[in-house]
Amino acid sequence: MQLEYFQLIDRILDLNIGEKTITVEAQVPEHSTIFEGHFPGFPIMPGVLLTEAMAQSSGWLLLGVMKFERMPFLAMVKEAKMRGFVSPGQLLTIEAKIEHEGSGFAVTSAKARVGSELKCSADLTFRHIPFPDPALRVFMDAMAHKIGFPQQAMPHD
Amino acid sequence: MSSTFDQIATIIAETCDIPRDTITPESHAIDDLGIDSLDFLDIAFAIDKAFGIKMPLEKWTQEVNDGKATTEQYFVLKNLAARIDELVAAKNAGA
């Protein structure tokens, strides 16, 4: 997890295009300036970052299902529930599932756990559009490689 | 069984918190009811699920942007209901 770059997902453990599910890991860093303010003496991951981590997990799933032809952007967060504190150094396992594929949008559900303990969940809606800039596509390809996006799920030119 | 329009009107009322009795077949979703594009995503999701279809929003939007269709053809509710009926019929014909 590189909080300063908003790169929250470290690795993809499983991507099932047929089932439209993904499981990823996100390692919360031991140290970050974020924890100095949130909160002094009681550092915890902000709920907005946990929501973003669930959104990025869903985003990788959608990229895979859409064969990297379109880029998803978070549009709506529903039923976001922060069920327990997430502390520095903890390892998040995040699962996401596509609930609906509409025309130009998709809806996912996501859950994040530490060990077996459910820490947060949300229903997320994304708009998706063709990549607005080639540089973004290059960047996402590089990120996909970095986090172990399955090669067989990557489009080959 | 309620009509397609009634189902759409109920979805819009519940999704956008608009009084049901203000929604008529002549209502324009955008111009009269003030539904924005984000709320319409929610409505599309609910309609897709309720009718088991995939409303081709991108195609419709493109047609409007290209001047090949008017927003009234898709977003006046009686017309939207007709489009949905067509999509349901096409789905059933292909099933």
Side-chain angles (χ1 to χ4, degrees):
Chain A
M1 199 179 270
Q2 288 188 284
L3 290 175
E4 64 274 36
Y5 287 98
F6 241 58
Q7 294 167 4
L8 303 183
I9 306 307
D10 292 310
R11 67 194 68 84
I12 293 176
L13 298 181
D14 183 64
L15 173 66
N16 189 323
I17 298 292
E19 295 291 324
K20 297 174 183 171
T21 60
I22 194 169
T23 306
V24 309
E25 280 184 342
Q27 177 68 54
V28 180
E30 287 282 358
H31 303 284
S32 167
T33 52
I34 287 171
F35 299 134
E36 292 174 18
H38 194 281
F39 295 100
F42 188 63
I44 54 171
M45 272 287 277
V48 288
L49 289 178
L50 292 172
T51 303
E52 175 67 18
M54 292 189 284
Q56 290 189 13
S57 306
S58 298
W60 286 113
L61 170 59
L62 289 167
L63 279 166
V65 168
M66 297 186 293
K67 300 180 172 60
F68 281 73
E69 291 172 355
R70 298 168 70 92
M71 179 72 187
F73 294 92
L74 181 62
M76 218 180 306
V77 178
K78 286 186 178 179
E79 298 290 329
K81 295 177 181 174
M82 305 303 129
R83 299 163 185 273
F85 297 128
V86 176
S87 305
Q90 290 192 313
L91 178 66
L92 288 166
T93 303
I94 306 169
E95 298 171 336
K97 182 180 194 318
I98 295 177
E99 300 292 346
H100 181 69
E101 290 178 272
S103 171
F105 73 98
V107 180
T108 71
S109 60
K111 294 177 178 175
R113 292 182 170 83
V114 173
S116 60
E117 190 176 349
L118 183 61
K119 293 293 189 181
C120 57
S121 59
D123 297 332
L124 306 167
T125 301
F126 296 80
R127 295 180 202 272
H128 53 73
I129 60 174
F131 274 86
D133 191 292
L136 178 56
R137 173 62 199 275
V138 170
F139 174 78
M140 295 308 292
D141 278 351
M143 284 302 299
H145 181 71
K146 182 180 175 185
I147 66 171
F149 199 93
Q151 286 300 303
Q152 65 270 23
M154 293 284 290
H156 298 285
D157 296 329
Chain B
M1 186 176 168
S2 61
S3 71
T4 301
F5 165 74
D6 285 329
Q7 290 184 69
I8 296 171
T10 300
I11 286 170
I12 290 173
E14 291 175 353
T15 304
C16 300
D17 201 18
I18 295 172
R20 171 65 183 84
D21 58 6
T22 65
I23 304 171
T24 73
E26 306 299 329
S27 299
H28 190 299
I30 301 164
D31 297 342
D32 297 328
L33 302 179
I35 297 169
D36 66 17
S37 63
L38 192 60
D39 281 336
F40 206 82
L41 280 192
D42 246 357
I43 292 166
F45 176 41
I47 289 176
D48 282 1
K49 291 196 73 150
F51 292 92
I53 58 173
K54 181 173 174 175
M55 276 201 301
L57 288 180
E58 286 193 302
K59 176 171 169 281
W60 292 353
T61 304
Q62 192 63 51
E63 287 177 7
V64 170
N65 290 342
D66 292 345
K68 295 176 181 170
T70 62
T71 60
E72 286 77 9
Q73 285 175 254
Y74 297 124
F75 297 109
V76 169
L77 297 191
K78 65 180 181 185
N79 297 335
L80 179 61
R83 299 289 89 74
I84 289 168
D85 285 341
E86 290 168 3
L87 291 165
V88 171
K91 184 192 75 168
N92 292 339

